[in-house]
Amino acid sequence: METKGNPGKTTAIIAYLALIGWIIAFILNNKDKNALASYHIRQSLGIILMYVAVSILIRLTGIEILWLLYLGVLILVIIGIMNASNEEEKPLPIFGEYFQDWFKGLG
């Protein structure tokens, strides 16, 4: 994947590829800190934690219709990847600002 503008673009995109992608992006960004990658690593961690919360909620309640929340998580992943590929530090809808605040020590 070629990046012409920001060298952290690839790392930022990788951060959204499930937990393993987040771990890889976190490790890559620790070598050479990049503001874009750090921003998206924080956003992606929030999405991962949302996915875990939805999974726990579905298991605890047994309410099958809650699987639709996974669709919301998927939409956030797609938005995050689009923002990273456009090299934008744009927060995810509703939760993005919170993720930046909660995880400000990361990246």
Side-chain angles (χ1 to χ4, degrees), residues 20-104:
I20 190 70
W22 184 88
I23 292 169
I24 291 168
F26 184 78
I27 291 169
L28 288 174
N29 197 48
N30 274 338
K31 292 180 183 176
D32 297 315
K33 295 286 186 189
N34 180 280
L36 179 70
S38 295
Y39 184 87
H40 287 285
I41 285 170
R42 291 188 292 271
Q43 294 287 294
S44 177
L45 178 59
I47 291 173
I48 291 167
L49 294 176
M50 284 181 64
Y51 177 84
V52 170
V54 167
S55 297
I56 291 170
L57 181 65
I58 290 172
R59 289 220 178 222
L60 291 177
T61 64
I63 301 172
E64 295 289 326
I65 195 71
L66 291 178
W67 69 268
L68 289 172
L69 293 174
Y70 286 129
L71 183 59
V73 173
L74 177 62
I75 291 168
L76 290 177
V77 169
I78 292 168
I79 292 170
I81 290 172
M82 289 172 39
N83 288 341
S85 65
N86 291 329
E87 299 182 24
E88 296 177 333
E89 291 184 17
K90 192 170 165 184
L92 295 169
I94 302 168
F95 303 103
E97 292 292 333
Y98 295 110
F99 296 159
Q100 289 303 308
D101 185 44
W102 295 339
F103 310 124
K104 60 185 162 205

